[in-house]
Amino acid sequence: MKKSWRLWSLLSVAFVVVLLVVTSLLYGLILYQNSRYMRKTESQLLLDLGQQLAIEPQVQSALAENKPSEELEKYTVEVAKIHRLDFAVVMNMQAIRLTHPDEAMIGKHFKGGDEAPALEGKNHLSVSHGTLGESLRGFVPVFSIEQPEKQIGVVALGIRVQSLSSLIKNSREGYTIALLLSIASGIAAASALAYYLKRQLHSLEPQEISRLFEERNAMLDETKDVVAVVDLKKRINLANIAASELFQRLTGSQASLVGQSLNQLILDEKQLDFSRTAEQLYRQNGQDYLFSAAPIIVNQKQIGWIIFLRNATESLFVMDQLANTTAYASALQSQSHEFMNKLHVIYGLADLQAYDELQIYLDDILSPEKEFSHRLSFLVQNPQIAGFLIGERLKFAERKTQLMIEITPEIPANQNTEETKGIIDLYRYLHHSLLQFSLGKELPMTIHYEADQLTTSYLIYLAETEQLQLQEHLTTNFFQQMLQDRQADLTIEVQAELLTLQLKTSYHEVKT
C-alpha cells in the first residue's frame, strides 16, 4: 500500500504547494491593493465631505460670526457619525476650534500643526497626532459665499489610524474566508486529480512505468515477427525492428517507419479484413505471411490496431518438423516393443525346428518397407533428419508415391542445430514443390555424405510442361535466398523427361 501511495502523495503535495504559493501571492497582492484602495477612498471621502461642509449655511454663518453654536456642533457630530469619521472640526483663520467631538476642546487651538496649508487656501491631507491620537486628516478651506475670494476658515475631518486599520482588517475577512475556501477546494481538487492520474497510470510508480517501457521495447525488438501499432487512419505509431527491416527491404529507404502509412508495409490491404481476429493468409512479393490484427480499446473506444505479420513458410516448417519428430519417436518406440516379440517368434520357430516357416518369417521382417525405420536409425545418427525422412516418406506414400531413400555411407551426428535446421528446411521446400506434381510410383532419393558435405540427388520423371513449372518453383526469390542463407547449391539437369536435382549442403560431423 505504501508503494502505491508514493506517486499519489507526490502529486498531491506538488499540486498543494503550487496552489499555496499562487494563492498566497495573490492574497498578499489583493490585501496590498485593498489597503491602498481603502486609504485612497477614505482620503477622497474626507476631502469630498469637507467641501460639502464648506458650503453649508451653518458653517458659513458660524465662521462669519466667528463663534461656536450648539446647532453646528450637533450637525458636525451627526455628519461624522453617518460617515464613520472620528471627528469633524470647523476652525477659524486662527485655527481656533468652533466644533469638536469633545466640547472641552472647543475654543482651543487646533492641535497637530498640519493645518497650515489649508489656512493658505489649499486642500490638504496628512497623518498627524492630535487630541484623539494619530489620525488621517483632510483639510478643506472655507471661502465666503458673498465674497468668494475671502477665506473665512477651515473644515478638518479625520479618522484615526486605528479605526482605518479596523476598516481594512474588516475588509480582509472576506478575502481570508475566500482564501481558505480556495485552499480547501484546491486540496480536494489536487487529491482528486492525483487519484485520477494514479488510476490512469494503473497504480504504477514512475520506476515501474520506466521498467515496463524498457521491457516492452526489448520484447518487441527481439520478436522476429513483424509487429506494428496503427491508428484508425492506418498510420503507424509504433514498429519493432522486424517491421523496420521489412519496410527497408520493400522500399529501400532508411527513413523511420513511424508516421508512415500502413500501405508502405502491407502493399495490398484489400486482401485483409481488419475486423477478423483470426489469422489470415496474406501473400506479398511471392512470400506467404500469416496476418492478424487485434483492436486496441481505451476507455471502451477503439483507437487503432496492433498488427502481427509472421512468415507462413517458417511456421509451416516448424509444424512439419514437430510432426516428423513425433513420427520418429513413435517409430523408435514401436521398434523397441517389436524387437523382443520378434526374438521370441524366431526362438520358438527354431526350437520347433520349423525352418521353412522361419525362413518365410525372416524374409518378411527383413523386407525394405517394414525395416525402413530400423535401418534409418543406424544409417542416420542425426535424429532430427531421421525423423524428418520418416515423416516425408509417409507424405509421399499418401500421394501413392514411394520415396526410395538410399543413404551412403551413414550420416554422422551433428551438434550444429542451425545447420541441421537449414538442411531440413531445404528438403521440406523441395518436397513441397515435388508434391504439387504427379510423380509416379517411385521417387529415388540418394543422400551421400563425404568431407563435411551432404549431396542429395533426386531422379524425377515429368512431362516437359511440368518440368518447367517445377523449375519455376525452384527459382523463386524466396528459395534462392534460402539457398544463399544456408550456403547451399542446387543444380538442375534435364534429359528428355528425366529431371535430375542435386542439392549440396554443408554438414559437419561431431568431432570426438
Side-chain angles (χ1 to χ4, degrees), residues 135-248:
S135 58
L136 173 65
R137 303 176 176 189
F139 299 91
V140 177
V142 180
F143 294 90
S144 174
I145 295 178
E146 289 82 6
Q147 298 177 0
E149 297 180 356
K150 180 182 179 181
Q151 183 177 354
I152 58 176
V154 174
V155 175
L157 302 102
I159 179 170
R160 288 181 298 174
V161 173
Q162 184 178 0
S163 300
L164 181 60
S165 298
S166 298
L167 289 175
I168 296 174
K169 182 179 179 181
N170 292 335
S171 67
R172 289 179 179 176
E173 291 181 357
Y175 294 112
T176 304
I177 295 174
L179 174 66
L180 295 176
L181 289 176
S182 299
I183 292 175
S185 301
I187 291 174
S191 300
L193 181 59
Y195 178 71
Y196 171 76
L197 293 177
K198 183 74 173 176
R199 289 193 60 187
Q200 290 294 104
L201 297 175
H202 301 285
S203 298
L204 295 175
E205 297 297 327
Q207 299 85 349
E208 295 173 326
I209 295 173
S210 176
R211 188 188 67 193
L212 286 176
F213 180 77
E214 295 298 332
E215 290 173 350
R216 184 209 65 169
N217 286 346
M219 180 177 62
L220 289 178
D221 290 341
E222 293 302 321
T223 301
K224 294 183 179 180
D225 298 333
V226 173
V227 181
V229 176
V230 299
D231 57 20
L232 295 177
K233 295 182 179 179
K234 306 291 180 63
R235 288 283 176 184
I236 297 175
N237 296 328
L238 181 66
N240 66 345
I241 294 177
S244 298
E245 291 176 348
L246 177 60
F247 168 70
Q248 292 172 4

Side-chain angles (χ1 to χ4, degrees), residues 1-193:
M1 184 67 182
K2 182 179 179 181
K3 186 176 181 180
S4 64
W5 170 254
R6 285 180 296 182
L7 180 59
W8 188 1
S9 302
L10 180 62
L11 293 174
S12 299
V13 170
F15 289 142
V16 170
V17 168
V18 172
L19 176 66
L20 289 175
V21 171
V22 172
T23 52
S24 297
L25 290 175
L26 182 61
Y27 180 68
L29 182 61
I30 289 175
L31 292 185
Y32 173 72
Q33 293 291 344
N34 181 65
S35 178
R36 290 187 58 187
Y37 175 76
M38 290 292 294
R39 289 180 180 274
K40 184 178 179 180
T41 301
E42 290 298 321
S43 299
Q44 190 63 42
L45 174 64
L46 294 177
L47 294 179
D48 292 344
L49 186 56
Q51 290 176 357
Q52 181 180 351
L53 290 176
I55 61 174
E56 284 291 330
Q58 295 184 48
V59 174
Q60 288 279 333
S61 176
L63 289 174
E65 296 177 1
N66 196 20
K67 63 178 182 179
S69 66
E70 187 176 349
E71 291 79 7
L72 181 59
E73 174 67 16
K74 291 181 179 180
Y75 177 71
T76 55
V77 171
E78 188 67 25
V79 168
K81 182 179 179 181
I82 292 173
H83 293 280
R84 298 180 182 177
L85 302 180
D86 289 309
F87 65 86
V89 175
V90 178
M91 68 185 80
N92 59 20
M93 293 301 294
Q94 289 76 38
I96 302 301
R97 302 185 185 99
L98 300 183
T99 63
H100 194 276
D102 186 359
E103 294 183 0
M105 296 296 172
I106 297 174
K108 295 182 179 180
H109 194 279
F110 189 82
K111 186 177 180 180
D114 52 347
E115 70 279 1
L119 292 173
E120 296 176 358
K122 299 177 182 178
N123 291 344
H124 177 57
L125 288 170
S126 68
V127 176
S128 183
H129 192 82
T131 56
L132 298 179
E134 189 176 16
S135 58
L136 173 65
R137 303 176 176 189
F139 299 91
V140 177
V142 180
F143 294 90
S144 174
I145 295 178
E146 289 82 6
Q147 298 177 0
E149 297 180 356
K150 180 182 179 181
Q151 183 177 354
I152 58 176
V154 174
V155 175
L157 302 102
I159 179 170
R160 288 181 298 174
V161 173
Q162 184 178 0
S163 300
L164 181 60
S165 298
S166 298
L167 289 175
I168 296 174
K169 182 179 179 181
N170 292 335
S171 67
R172 289 179 179 176
E173 291 181 357
Y175 294 112
T176 304
I177 295 174
L179 174 66
L180 295 176
L181 289 176
S182 299
I183 292 175
S185 301
I187 291 174
S191 300
L193 181 59

Side-chain angles (χ1 to χ4, degrees), residues 287-304:
Q287 175 62 48
D288 292 329
Y289 295 95
L290 291 175
F291 171 88
S292 60
I296 302 175
I297 308 296
V298 177
N299 295 329
Q300 299 181 349
K301 182 179 179 181
Q302 182 176 348
I303 63 172

